[in-house]
Amino acid sequence: MDHVLMIIEKAPYGWEDAFSGFYVAIACLNREVDADVLLTGDGVYAALKGQKPEETIKYPSVEDLTYLIFPEGSLFVHKKSMEDRGLSDNDLVEAAQSVDDEELYEIIKSRTDGTAFLKI
């Protein structure tokens, strides 16, 4: 395995999936395994800037984890999923890169050999 692509499609709070996905990506990067995170569906909420869950629901911020994978890893956010939820690039953390369907296809296609795809 040369690369890990974490696909997160659930909202970051109320589920452990986003936290787990980011922690796996960070652990891979710490072990010098290339890792990227792709947010689709409600997972796009993990890339919102200005999260303050510790003030409201007393939960750590997923936003902080997005910066721990950058610049070694990439944070891709599915543009259609964002648009379906009324979000734009301006709503995202600095490290996030929005990708349309074609770019998403190219990312997945370019990583087919030696890549572990983990969807949570």
Side-chain angles (χ1 to χ4, degrees), residues 54-75:
E54 59 278 350
E55 295 175 5
T56 55
I57 59 174
K58 308 294 185 220
Y59 214 69
S61 175
V62 174
E63 178 182 0
D64 297 338
L65 298 178
T66 66
Y67 292 104
L68 295 176
I69 65 166
F70 184 78
E72 292 85 9
S74 296
L75 175 60

Side-chain angles (χ1 to χ4, degrees), residues 1 16-17 23 26 35 66-67 72-73 88 94 98 111 117:
M1 174 180 59
E16 292 297 320
D17 299 31
Y23 284 129
I26 292 164
T66 66
Y67 292 104
E72 292 85 9
S88 71
E94 231 178 286
S98 64
R111 290 170 170 80
F117 293 89

Side-chain angles (χ1 to χ4, degrees), residues 30-105:
N30 286 339
R31 298 283 185 186
E32 298 183 10
V33 173
D34 291 334
D36 297 314
V37 174
L38 167 63
L39 303 175
T40 64
D42 287 341
V44 300
Y45 292 119
L48 289 178
K49 64 183 172 186
Q51 297 177 36
K52 300 204 184 309
E54 59 278 350
E55 295 175 5
T56 55
I57 59 174
K58 308 294 185 220
Y59 214 69
S61 175
V62 174
E63 178 182 0
D64 297 338
L65 298 178
T66 66
Y67 292 104
L68 295 176
I69 65 166
F70 184 78
E72 292 85 9
S74 296
L75 175 60
F76 300 112
V77 184
H78 183 231
K79 190 178 256 334
K80 173 85 168 74
S81 296
M82 288 173 30
E83 291 168 353
D84 288 348
R85 287 155 182 79
L87 303 175
S88 71
D89 288 344
N90 293 333
D91 297 315
L92 302 179
V93 295
E94 231 178 286
Q97 175 186 347
S98 64
V99 294
D100 61 24
D101 290 338
E102 188 174 315
E103 292 168 312
L104 178 59
Y105 171 77

